[in-house]
Amino acid sequence: MASKLGLLFGILKTATLMSFQIVFVIGEPQVPCYFIFGDSLVDSGNNNGLVTAAKANYTPYGVDFPQGVTGRFTNGLTMADIIGQLLGFSNFIPSYAMTNNGEINSGVNYGSGGAGIRDETGRNLGDRISMNKQLLRHATIVSRLSNLQRNKTFTNEYIQKCIYIIYMGSNDYINNYLMPNNYSTSTKYTPDQYATVLIQQYSQQLKSLYELGARKIAVFGLGFIGCTPYEISTFGTNGEPCVESINNATMLFNKRLKPLIDDLNNAFFDARFTFINISSISASQGAVLTNVSCCQTRSDGQCVPNSVPCSNRTMYTYYDGFHPTEIANRLLASRSYAALSPMDASPYDISHLAQL
Ligand SMILES: *[C@@H]1O[C@H](CO)[C@@H](O)[C@H](O)[C@H]1NC(C)=O
Ligand SMILES: *[C@@H]1O[C@H](CO)[C@@H](O)[C@H](O)[C@H]1NC(C)=O
Ligand SMILES: *[C@@H]1O[C@H](CO)[C@@H](O)[C@H](O)[C@H]1NC(C)=O
Ligand SMILES: *[C@@H]1O[C@H](CO)[C@@H](O)[C@H](O)[C@H]1NC(C)=O
Ligand SMILES: *[C@@H]1O[C@H](CO)[C@@H](O)[C@H](O)[C@H]1NC(C)=O
Ligand SMILES: *[C@@H]1O[C@H](CO)[C@@H](O)[C@H](O)[C@H]1NC(C)=O
């Protein structure tokens, strides 16, 4: 393992973002299974059958994905896909929507565009699988796994070895707090109070995940939502590079999330939670065009169906108004997996979480 990590670090140090290549690990994955919770940043098709504007099962999404259009909200691989490859999984983890005929032994992807920590989040777009619903789905998967494996003790031990990633909270801002005409949260709470209520609810949800057997849990902080092309064009930047008030609000969430992770580690001595600092990682992004979308966008920030995207996708940080391009996802995933700075992940990056 040490040599594999050393190689990865060496490559990361010398690679520019443009020539960046992921190292594929040959053989068995490092952990038996990998479960993915979150929103459109990790969704791999769970929304395709839902009545919602938050679905990406049309071109130009998937233009660089091996199977083309799948429902992923980017041109190619999501961050969750790339982390899976780094963990040594040779296939993509199936979406919950596909698990009727798919493998559940290696994990399930519950990600759903528009979903949030709060149940009402994203209702302006239509149906979505909120964090609470994703946890209910996970409970059914755990019991199906238990039935398949026919040995409860074995299943309990098995699911403790899995990696769980959760990337939630962006929509609680984008499709809730920042839409005062559709949601009352911004009149009810100051940004500080809102971060507090979100973290309280998130804390309960992370405890539920623990109660469902998870022991190696990576929780992602929020990125610079105020720097997304959609928020820049919606709110304006007052001469700054980004919408500062939005970044300030989401940083309050991050500031409370990190101590929550420490509290959970203290409360559950047999579990390892870790905080992935996406703001730290994305502060050093290398793409040239960071504030414009690669594809033509609709009024809701998603790509215009069947439009022609930019030809040089490695030059763009954002594919549509919100979602990173694959090249940006590669940077986010690789530093979540193998931290380049002590700020990137604490207390563990995902490669270390896998080995614990
Ligand atoms: C959200 O608010 C806008 C502006 O008031 C309104 O036009 C729209 O219908 C609302 N959408 C939903 C889903 O409530
Ligand atoms: C069930 O799994 C446990 C843990 O792997 C193992 O020790 C035990 O022998 C298994 N029981 C049966 C009946 O196979
Ligand atoms: C954002 O936070 C910074 C640092 O605390 C502060 O200087 C700035 O005025 C804030 N900006 C807005 C728009 O709230
Ligand atoms: C994330 O990293 C940034 C930059 O490295 C740092 O300023 C910030 O405090 C970190 N966030 C948290 C919640 O630790
Ligand atoms: C994007 O950033 C460039 C360079 O900083 C700036 O000139 C341009 O006005 C920005 N565009 C938008 C839409 O904010
Ligand atoms: C894409 O952009 C990169 C970085 O600016 C440049 O090196 C490369 O030649 C461009 N490729 C194409 C096909 O435009």
Side-chain angles (χ1 to χ4, degrees):
M1 192 55 218
S3 67
K4 251 186 237 159
L5 272 182
L7 178 64
L8 191 58
F9 271 111
I11 288 172
L12 281 166
K13 275 190 194 130
T14 53
T16 66
L17 186 57
M18 296 305 156
S19 63
F20 188 75
Q21 292 294 324
I22 287 291
V23 180
F24 287 90
V25 183
I26 311 294
E28 286 293 296
Q30 299 171 41
V31 288
C33 37
Y34 170 39
F35 289 95
I36 300 154
F37 296 80
D39 54 29
S40 53
L41 291 166
V42 300
D43 190 347
S44 59
N46 283 309
N47 279 16
N48 293 354
L50 301 186
V51 180
T52 175
K55 48 183 165 184
N57 55 346
Y58 60 86
T59 61
Y61 291 110
V63 62
D64 298 314
F65 193 78
Q67 285 88 47
V69 170
T70 58
R72 286 170 170 80
F73 290 73
T74 181
N75 56 309
L77 275 60
T78 67
M79 211 179 308
D81 293 329
I82 299 161
I83 291 170
Q85 291 183 335
L86 291 168
L87 286 168
F89 289 91
S90 49
N91 295 316
F92 296 119
I93 299 301
S95 63
Y96 179 87
M98 300 290 280
T99 55
N100 280 340
N101 31 22
E103 267 287 302
I104 61 171
N105 278 324
S106 61
V108 172
N109 183 338
Y110 305 100
S112 168
I117 293 168
R118 293 170 71 87
D119 291 338
E120 87 268 14
T121 288
R123 85 171 169 231
N124 54 301
L125 299 167
D127 291 344
R128 67 275 163 214
I129 317 300
S130 65
M131 184 62 192
N132 284 330
K133 286 192 184 154
Q134 292 184 29
L135 288 164
L136 290 174
R137 289 182 161 192
H138 185 56
T140 68
I141 290 291
V142 169
S143 70
R144 267 173 67 187
L145 205 51
S146 193
N147 291 339
L148 279 171
Q149 294 178 337
R150 297 166 176 278
N151 179 337
K152 243 187 156 70
T153 313
F154 178 85
T155 300
N156 287 343
E157 288 171 2
Y158 185 85
I159 61 176
Q160 291 184 4
K161 296 177 194 149
C162 311
I163 292 278
Y164 299 75
I165 68 165
I166 305 105
Y167 196 156
M168 270 290 184
S170 302
N171 286 309
D172 295 291
Y173 288 91
I174 296 168
N175 287 299
N176 188 326
Y177 198 73
L178 298 175
M179 291 195 164
N181 292 331
N182 301 85
Y183 298 90
S184 62
T185 45
S186 63
T187 53
K188 266 204 220 51
Y189 304 113
T190 65
D192 207 52
Q193 292 166 336
Y194 190 58
T196 302
V197 297
L198 284 179
I199 290 295
Q200 280 165 355
Q201 190 165 2
Y202 210 12
S203 170
Q204 294 309 313
Q205 292 163 341
L206 294 172
K207 285 176 189 160
S208 303
L209 184 58
Y210 171 88
E211 278 151 18
L212 289 167
R215 294 294 181 270
K216 296 180 173 200
I217 304 166
V219 186
F220 285 68
L222 302 181
F224 294 110
I225 291 171
C227 301
T228 58
Y230 176 87
E231 301 300 350
I232 288 176
S233 68
T234 302
F235 292 98
T237 63
N238 252 322
E240 302 294 328
C242 300
V243 190
E244 257 194 13
S245 56
I246 299 180
N247 286 343
N248 284 2
T250 54
M251 291 312 124
L252 293 170
F253 176 89
N254 291 343
K255 225 175 86 187
R256 286 174 175 69
L257 181 55
K258 196 177 168 188
L260 168 63
I261 296 307
D262 295 334
D263 291 348
L264 291 169
N265 277 325
N266 291 331
F268 303 111
F269 66 93
D270 61 341
R272 311 297 176 114
F273 288 84
T274 194
F275 169 73
I276 306 293
N277 187 344
I278 284 293
S279 325
S280 168
I281 297 172
S282 57
S284 66
Q285 54 190 298
V288 185
L289 297 166
T290 60
N291 59 359
V292 286
S293 312
C294 165
C295 73
Q296 294 169 45
T297 54
R298 311 190 293 216
S299 61
D300 65 1
Q302 283 189 220
C303 295
V304 171
N306 306 319
S307 57
V308 177
C310 69
S311 60
N312 193 340
R313 291 176 283 281
T314 59
M315 285 182 68
Y316 290 75
T317 300
Y318 290 98
Y319 193 55
D320 63 10
F322 297 108
H323 303 102
T325 50
E326 176 180 310
I327 192 89
N329 283 330
R330 285 192 181 278
L331 175 81
L332 298 170
S334 62
R335 283 180 65 168
S336 309
Y337 179 78
L340 281 189
S341 142
M343 273 296 176
D344 289 354
S346 73
Y348 322 101
D349 60 24
I350 293 170
S351 72
H352 286 92
L353 194 61
Q355 298 309 310
L356 290 169

